[in-house]
Amino acid sequence: MGEDHEEIRSSGAEVIGVFQYEGQKVKNFCRQQGAPFECLGDPKLEGYSALGLGKGSTREYLGPQMLKRTIGAMGKGHMVGSPQGGDISLRPGTFVVGRDGKIVLAHYNADAADNASREAVLEAVREAAEQPAA
């Protein structure tokens, strides 16, 4: 979402990355990646649990589909980092929350590389921006 950060902010929205690591590891990772948005740690996985983010199978993370997506991401200049602790089988997700506190977009990754499409996120951000403030 870094490349769309300015468009998202201009709509009145904010991007927040939440990771399963403690605060300093998260800050270091985001700094190294040049993330232009706030990054928070959730080492107790309270947010993950509240949103229903579950674990995937070993095949999802070590299978041929993941290898294909990893190579594709690397071809676009996105480098895959090594895990910094935590549970690599925990599936990530992408959520857009409206001004009223309701979830406008909930994308539960099928595996670590199954991110929400850029278009879906931007559309949800625009939809949320049109909502009246709560």
Side-chain angles (χ1 to χ4, degrees), residues 21-94:
Y21 314 112
E22 57 90 12
Q24 195 56 50
K25 285 183 182 178
V26 170
K27 289 182 190 300
N28 292 343
F29 172 78
C30 288
R31 190 176 314 117
Q32 289 170 351
Q33 299 300 312
F37 47 81
E38 182 73 26
C39 296
L40 304 174
D42 182 17
K44 293 182 181 178
L45 306 178
E46 293 168 343
Y48 284 78
S49 179
L51 291 166
L53 291 165
K55 293 184 179 192
S57 69
T58 302
R59 181 166 171 75
E60 290 175 17
Y61 295 90
L62 300 176
Q65 186 63 24
M66 188 63 190
L67 179 61
K68 179 181 173 185
R69 289 183 180 178
T70 299
I71 292 169
M74 290 173 74
K76 294 177 183 175
H78 304 290
M79 300 310 295
V80 178
S82 61
Q84 301 294 309
D87 185 349
I88 65 166
S89 70
L90 190 59
R91 290 184 183 142
T94 302

